[in-house]
PDB file of all heavy atoms in Angstrom:
ATOM      1  N   THR A 182     105.726  94.351 169.171  1.00 95.00           N
ATOM      2  CA  THR A 182     104.278  94.305 169.091  1.00 95.00           C
ATOM      3  C   THR A 182     103.684  92.877 169.252  1.00 95.00           C
ATOM      4  O   THR A 182     102.740  92.679 170.008  1.00 95.00           O
ATOM      5  CB  THR A 182     103.818  94.877 167.733  1.00 95.00           C
ATOM      6  OG1 THR A 182     104.400  96.172 167.581  1.00 95.00           O
ATOM      7  CG2 THR A 182     102.341  94.967 167.624  1.00 95.00           C
ATOM      8  N   GLY A 183     104.266  91.919 168.577  1.00 95.00           N
ATOM      9  CA  GLY A 183     103.768  90.591 168.629  1.00 95.00           C
ATOM     10  C   GLY A 183     103.901  89.994 170.041  1.00 95.00           C
ATOM     11  O   GLY A 183     103.008  89.307 170.549  1.00 95.00           O
ATOM     12  N   SER A 184     104.990  90.284 170.784  1.00 94.00           N
ATOM     13  CA  SER A 184     105.145  89.804 172.092  1.00 94.00           C
ATOM     14  C   SER A 184     104.102  90.374 173.049  1.00 94.00           C
ATOM     15  O   SER A 184     103.606  89.603 173.905  1.00 94.00           O
ATOM     16  CB  SER A 184     106.565  90.135 172.612  1.00 94.00           C
ATOM     17  OG  SER A 184     106.757  91.559 172.766  1.00 94.00           O
ATOM     18  N   GLN A 185     103.706  91.583 172.837  1.00 96.00           N
ATOM     19  CA  GLN A 185     102.670  92.165 173.709  1.00 96.00           C
ATOM     20  C   GLN A 185     101.298  91.563 173.353  1.00 96.00           C
ATOM     21  O   GLN A 185     100.508  91.258 174.250  1.00 96.00           O
ATOM     22  CB  GLN A 185     102.578  93.664 173.482  1.00 96.00           C
ATOM     23  CG  GLN A 185     103.860  94.409 173.895  1.00 96.00           C
ATOM     24  CD  GLN A 185     104.317  94.093 175.294  1.00 96.00           C
ATOM     25  OE1 GLN A 185     103.589  94.222 176.264  1.00 96.00           O
ATOM     26  NE2 GLN A 185     105.581  93.661 175.414  1.00 96.00           N
ATOM     27  N   ILE A 186     100.984  91.316 172.119  1.00 97.00           N
ATOM     28  CA  ILE A 186      99.789  90.662 171.681  1.00 97.00           C
ATOM     29  C   ILE A 186      99.619  89.298 172.220  1.00 97.00           C
ATOM     30  O   ILE A 186      98.625  88.952 172.834  1.00 97.00           O
ATOM     31  CB  ILE A 186      99.647  90.656 170.115  1.00 97.00           C
ATOM     32  CG1 ILE A 186      99.539  92.106 169.587  1.00 97.00           C
ATOM     33  CG2 ILE A 186      98.474  89.779 169.694  1.00 97.00           C
ATOM     34  CD1 ILE A 186      99.585  92.161 168.064  1.00 97.00           C
ATOM     35  N   PHE A 187     100.695  88.487 172.096  1.00 97.00           N
ATOM     36  CA  PHE A 187     100.617  87.100 172.578  1.00 97.00           C
ATOM     37  C   PHE A 187     100.641  87.022 174.113  1.00 97.00           C
ATOM     38  O   PHE A 187     100.003  86.116 174.650  1.00 97.00           O
ATOM     39  CB  PHE A 187     101.768  86.303 171.976  1.00 97.00           C
ATOM     40  CG  PHE A 187     101.666  86.000 170.504  1.00 97.00           C
ATOM     41  CD1 PHE A 187     102.657  86.395 169.615  1.00 97.00           C
ATOM     42  CD2 PHE A 187     100.516  85.376 169.981  1.00 97.00           C
ATOM     43  CE1 PHE A 187     102.537  86.105 168.221  1.00 97.00           C
ATOM     44  CE2 PHE A 187     100.360  85.123 168.667  1.00 97.00           C
ATOM     45  CZ  PHE A 187     101.410  85.514 167.772  1.00 97.00           C
ATOM     46  N   ALA A 188     101.312  87.959 174.699  1.00 97.00           N
ATOM     47  CA  ALA A 188     101.305  87.963 176.216  1.00 97.00           C
ATOM     48  C   ALA A 188      99.891  88.289 176.692  1.00 97.00           C
ATOM     49  O   ALA A 188      99.346  87.642 177.636  1.00 97.00           O
ATOM     50  CB  ALA A 188     102.229  89.015 176.710  1.00 97.00           C
ATOM     51  N   ALA A 189      99.224  89.240 176.056  1.00 97.00           N
ATOM     52  CA  ALA A 189      97.826  89.578 176.427  1.00 97.00           C
ATOM     53  C   ALA A 189      96.871  88.425 176.195  1.00 97.00           C
ATOM     54  O   ALA A 189      96.002  88.111 177.013  1.00 97.00           O
ATOM     55  CB  ALA A 189      97.397  90.858 175.722  1.00 97.00           C
ATOM     56  N   LEU A 190      97.051  87.772 175.055  1.00 97.00           N
ATOM     57  CA  LEU A 190      96.153  86.628 174.726  1.00 97.00           C
ATOM     58  C   LEU A 190      96.409  85.465 175.694  1.00 97.00           C
ATOM     59  O   LEU A 190      95.430  84.763 176.110  1.00 97.00           O
ATOM     60  CB  LEU A 190      96.411  86.172 173.316  1.00 97.00           C
ATOM     61  CG  LEU A 190      95.884  87.123 172.199  1.00 97.00           C
ATOM     62  CD1 LEU A 190      96.328  86.615 170.865  1.00 97.00           C
ATOM     63  CD2 LEU A 190      94.396  87.300 172.237  1.00 97.00           C
ATOM     64  N   ALA A 191      97.659  85.179 176.035  1.00 97.00           N
ATOM     65  CA  ALA A 191      97.970  84.082 176.876  1.00 97.00           C
ATOM     66  C   ALA A 191      97.418  84.293 178.305  1.00 97.00           C
ATOM     67  O   ALA A 191      96.966  83.375 178.993  1.00 97.00           O
ATOM     68  CB  ALA A 191      99.513  83.849 176.936  1.00 97.00           C
ATOM     69  N   LEU A 192      97.459  85.550 178.776  1.00 98.00           N
ATOM     70  CA  LEU A 192      97.028  85.868 180.136  1.00 98.00           C
ATOM     71  C   LEU A 192      95.528  86.085 180.262  1.00 98.00           C
ATOM     72  O   LEU A 192      94.993  86.076 181.387  1.00 98.00           O
ATOM     73  CB  LEU A 192      97.804  87.128 180.662  1.00 98.00           C
ATOM     74  CG  LEU A 192      99.305  86.953 180.942  1.00 98.00           C
ATOM     75  CD1 LEU A 192      99.886  88.297 181.273  1.00 98.00           C
ATOM     76  CD2 LEU A 192      99.511  85.947 182.098  1.00 98.00           C
ATOM     77  N   LEU A 193      94.874  86.236 179.145  1.00 98.00           N
ATOM     78  CA  LEU A 193      93.468  86.597 179.205  1.00 98.00           C
ATOM     79  C   LEU A 193      92.572  85.588 180.042  1.00 98.00           C
ATOM     80  O   LEU A 193      91.802  86.087 180.890  1.00 98.00           O
ATOM     81  CB  LEU A 193      92.856  86.691 177.813  1.00 98.00           C
ATOM     82  CG  LEU A 193      91.394  87.125 177.648  1.00 98.00           C
ATOM     83  CD1 LEU A 193      91.198  88.491 178.334  1.00 98.00           C
ATOM     84  CD2 LEU A 193      90.975  87.157 176.204  1.00 98.00           C
ATOM     85  N   PRO A 194      92.679  84.303 179.846  1.00 97.00           N
ATOM     86  CA  PRO A 194      91.825  83.380 180.670  1.00 97.00           C
ATOM     87  C   PRO A 194      92.108  83.568 182.168  1.00 97.00           C
ATOM     88  O   PRO A 194      91.164  83.614 183.000  1.00 97.00           O
ATOM     89  CB  PRO A 194      92.252  81.999 180.219  1.00 97.00           C
ATOM     90  CG  PRO A 194      92.775  82.218 178.782  1.00 97.00           C
ATOM     91  CD  PRO A 194      93.475  83.543 178.840  1.00 97.00           C
ATOM     92  N   LEU A 195      93.418  83.660 182.516  1.00 97.00           N
ATOM     93  CA  LEU A 195      93.716  83.823 183.989  1.00 97.00           C
ATOM     94  C   LEU A 195      93.279  85.167 184.453  1.00 97.00           C
ATOM     95  O   LEU A 195      92.861  85.256 185.634  1.00 97.00           O
ATOM     96  CB  LEU A 195      95.262  83.634 184.144  1.00 97.00           C
ATOM     97  CG  LEU A 195      95.828  82.245 183.958  1.00 97.00           C
ATOM     98  CD1 LEU A 195      97.328  82.269 184.040  1.00 97.00           C
ATOM     99  CD2 LEU A 195      95.228  81.279 184.997  1.00 97.00           C
TER     100      LEU A 195
END
Side-chain angles (χ1 to χ4, degrees):
T182 305
S184 65
Q185 299 306 307
I186 292 173
F187 288 126
L190 290 175
L192 290 173
L193 183 59
L195 290 174

